[in-house]
């Protein structure tokens, strides 16, 4: 009897471990951000490689990494023209990484988008075309013809690592006449402001000046865990996409409509239209209660601010009130509640705190400002 019981316990433990995997829930690892009003927040990484170009893993490993990170969508964008493993792995069909990844993700809550990296010298450099029907048709000599074919297939196209020091020695993203022409002809729709472990203020400015979608990707070739030190709490760069629903078509529509915020190295980069609602949903002012001492009630109020996201927020106070326990800089750790004490001078029923969000960027050297409203709770 006892043996049967412990066997059942063991089976139960195995089943619960499997259930945890099926739900894509990896505590401490899954990247989480709240939805914003009217949209679901899709966590995406739309630039990565496998052994089918110059990467070092099979496509199914990309799927498993993404499931562990709790991503909603990925695109494996193997180089079309650059095929260094071709002697070992013949690669006649450039849609293979998509097909293999789609099969291995068939029971996972992960959307797989067919994509590829158009890999040319500068200009135009490298660009990702995603939502392709047939990658093979982009395997043509003339680079502009590849962009034309991508457009014909309805692809969303973004310029990759425009700050790559191998192509621009100074690491400064700049547009060539060819890029301007491709943007004008609606053949480039987005630009990577973040690629792997690089961030480009200049690329962000180009995105704003030319009305392009702000993108951030891992461009991973090896392993996500090693590149971003995930076991020590690191995370890959991702693009948060605000879609009407979790589907390929909604994701595509949202990318064309520029509804993105990039999460990279604990920074949030995006247009104010989406960054502000996101921060608003991440930060939740909770309790506010005036302190009482042996001498009676004070005008020092204890507040709690909840951070419901995986980003650590660094805020700089812009309020008229001073804090009783910290200076002007406030740090809100991910998925936690922070306690602060504020000197409001008068005892108030409600008050606002204003902050500049130093870890959020809407334009080069520009941080958004937020206001948190606290309602005082009485005894
Ligand atoms: Zn590239
Ligand atoms: Zn790449």
């Amino acid at each position: 009897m006892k043996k049967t019981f412990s066997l059942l316990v063991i089976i139960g433990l195995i089943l619960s471990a499997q259930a945890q995997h099926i739900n894509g829930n990896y505590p401490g690892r899954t990247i989480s951000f709240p939805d914003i009003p009217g949209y679901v927040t899709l966590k995406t990484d739309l630039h990565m490689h496998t052994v089918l170009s110059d990467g070092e893993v099979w496509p199914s490993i990309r799927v498993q990494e993404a499931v562990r990170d709790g991503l909603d969508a990925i695109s494996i964008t193997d180089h079309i023209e650059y095929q260094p493993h071709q002697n070992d792995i013949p690669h006649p069909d450039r849609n293979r990484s998509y097909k293999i990844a789609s099969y291995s993700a068939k029971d996972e809550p992960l959307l797989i988008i067919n994509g590829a990296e158009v890999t040319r010298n500068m200009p135009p450099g490298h660009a990702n075309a995603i939502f392709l029907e047939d990658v093979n048709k982009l395997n043509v000599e003339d680079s502009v013809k590849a962009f034309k074919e991508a457009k014909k297939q309805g692809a969303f196209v973004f310029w990759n690592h425009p700050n790559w020091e191998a192509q621009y020695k100074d690491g400064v993203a700049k547009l060539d006449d060819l890029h301007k022409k491709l943007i004008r002809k609606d053949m480039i729709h987005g630009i990577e402001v973040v690629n792997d472990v690089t961030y480009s203020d200049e690329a962000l400015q180009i995105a704003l000046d030319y009305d392009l979608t702000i993108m951030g990707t891992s461009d991973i070739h090896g392993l996500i865990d090693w590149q971003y030190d995930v076991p020590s709490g690191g995370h890959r760069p991702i693009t948060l996409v605000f879609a009407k629903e979790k589907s390929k078509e909604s994701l595509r529509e949202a990318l064309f409509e520029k509804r993105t915020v990039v999460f990279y190295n604990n920074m949030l980069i995006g247009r104010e239209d989406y960054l502000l609602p996101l921060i608003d949903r991440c930060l939740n002012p909770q309790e506010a209660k005036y302190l009482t001492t042996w001498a009676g009630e004070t005008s020092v109020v204890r507040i709690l601010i909840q951070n419901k996201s995986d980003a650590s927020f660094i805020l700089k106070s812009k309020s008229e009130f001073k804090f009783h326990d910290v200076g002007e800089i406030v740090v809100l750790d991910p998925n936690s509640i922070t306690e602060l004490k504020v000197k409001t001078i008068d005892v108030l029923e409600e008050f606002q705190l204003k902050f500049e969000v130093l870890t959020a960027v809407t334009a080069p050297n520009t941080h958004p400002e937020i206001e948190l409203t606290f309602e005082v709770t009485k005894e």
Side-chain angles (χ1 to χ4, degrees):
M1 188 63 191
K2 207 175 170 190
K3 252 185 187 165
T4 320
F5 174 74
S6 45
L7 193 66
L8 282 175
V9 168
I10 290 165
I11 290 170
L13 285 172
I14 292 169
L15 284 175
S16 69
Q18 280 178 343
Q20 192 179 50
H21 164 74
I22 288 164
N23 292 333
N25 180 18
Y26 292 86
R29 165 152 195 155
T30 304
I31 303 171
S32 90
F33 280 92
D35 294 335
I36 65 170
Y39 299 110
V40 292
T41 301
L42 300 182
K43 295 158 282 173
T44 73
D45 185 0
L46 302 170
H47 185 172
M48 56 182 67
H49 298 275
T50 73
V51 286
L52 295 172
S53 64
D54 60 344
E56 292 168 61
V57 304
W58 193 247
S60 56
I61 298 297
R62 291 286 172 250
V63 169
Q64 288 308 313
E65 287 174 323
V67 168
R68 280 165 168 71
D69 283 349
L71 300 191
D72 296 293
I74 60 167
S75 183
I76 298 177
T77 51
D78 276 316
H79 299 283
I80 300 173
E81 304 86 346
Y82 183 50
Q83 292 281 313
H85 302 155
Q86 211 163 28
N87 289 340
D88 298 308
I89 306 171
H91 188 205
D93 177 10
R94 296 289 197 274
N95 301 297
R96 275 304 283 162
S97 37
Y98 168 68
K99 288 175 186 169
I100 296 165
S102 297
Y103 181 76
S104 65
K106 68 181 183 344
D107 298 321
E108 303 288 358
L110 178 68
L111 303 172
I112 309 291
I113 311 301
N114 196 8
E117 184 165 8
V118 178
T119 310
R120 307 288 173 137
N121 291 330
M122 192 68 87
H126 299 189
N128 273 358
I130 60 173
F131 298 98
L132 287 172
E133 284 161 18
D134 183 3
V135 178
N136 298 316
K137 288 186 179 154
L138 274 67
N139 198 1
V140 290
E141 202 168 318
D142 180 355
S143 64
V144 175
K145 280 196 178 140
F147 281 85
K148 276 188 182 158
E149 178 58 33
K151 186 178 179 181
K152 200 172 141 194
Q153 294 187 26
F156 174 80
V157 179
F158 56 98
W159 183 15
N160 297 340
H161 43 72
N163 55 337
W164 190 23
E165 65 278 13
Q167 289 188 323
Y168 284 137
K169 277 192 170 53
D170 55 8
V172 175
K174 46 184 120 9
L175 290 166
D176 183 90
D177 283 343
L178 180 57
H179 297 117
K180 289 181 187 165
K181 185 180 154 192
L182 291 169
I183 292 169
R184 242 188 352 260
K185 300 215 165 210
D186 196 29
M187 291 196 267
I188 288 180
H189 314 106
I191 183 169
E192 282 183 346
V193 165
V194 167
N195 174 280
D196 186 16
V197 291
T198 69
Y199 162 76
S200 171
D201 251 354
E202 294 87 359
L204 178 58
Q205 193 58 56
I206 292 171
L208 299 173
D209 291 344
Y210 288 82
D211 206 21
L212 300 173
T213 305
I214 295 167
M215 302 293 294
T217 69
S218 71
D219 197 0
I220 188 73
H221 288 70
L223 291 173
I224 289 288
D225 283 52
W226 295 353
Q227 183 69 356
Y228 300 104
D229 203 6
V230 176
S232 303
H235 70 90
R236 71 167 94 195
I238 56 169
T239 305
L240 302 173
V241 185
F242 307 102
K244 287 176 184 157
E245 56 175 35
K246 182 173 175 176
S247 71
K248 289 188 187 185
E249 194 39 53
S250 276
L251 172 61
R252 184 177 171 281
E253 186 262 347
L255 286 168
F256 273 106
E257 292 301 319
K258 304 179 278 283
R259 295 198 300 265
T260 62
V261 166
V262 170
F263 177 49
Y264 162 66
N265 199 17
N266 199 48
M267 273 164 83
L268 290 165
I269 307 145
R271 290 180 165 82
E272 220 170 60
D273 291 356
Y274 306 107
L275 199 43
L276 285 180
L278 180 69
I279 296 169
D280 184 61
R281 282 294 161 104
C282 290
L283 303 184
N284 180 25
Q286 291 189 323
E287 199 176 276
K289 217 171 184 179
Y290 281 98
L291 300 181
T292 311
T293 68
W294 57 269
E297 196 179 53
T298 72
S299 63
V300 176
V301 64
R302 173 186 176 268
I303 60 165
L304 298 177
I305 307 174
Q306 183 186 23
N307 174 5
K308 295 187 284 183
S309 80
D310 263 8
S312 171
F313 283 88
I314 301 176
L315 311 177
K316 185 178 176 187
S317 178
K318 294 276 165 182
S319 307
E320 54 180 309
F321 308 129
K322 303 276 184 200
F323 292 104
H324 194 44
D325 46 3
V326 294
E328 59 173 0
I329 301 295
V330 169
V331 178
L332 304 177
D333 289 333
N335 302 301
S336 66
I337 294 170
T338 301
E339 180 188 312
L340 293 164
K341 294 188 186 79
V342 188
K343 296 179 283 187
T344 59
I345 310 302
D346 297 312
V347 174
L348 306 170
E349 288 190 350
E350 187 189 291
F351 60 93
Q352 280 83 31
L353 295 181
K354 285 187 198 133
F355 296 100
E356 186 181 359
V357 186
L358 299 181
T359 43
V361 177
T362 51
N365 305 316
T366 311
H367 308 292
E369 289 197 7
I370 58 164
E371 198 173 81
L372 301 178
T373 299
F374 292 84
E375 281 172 34
V376 174
T377 36
K378 297 257 184 313
E379 280 299 334

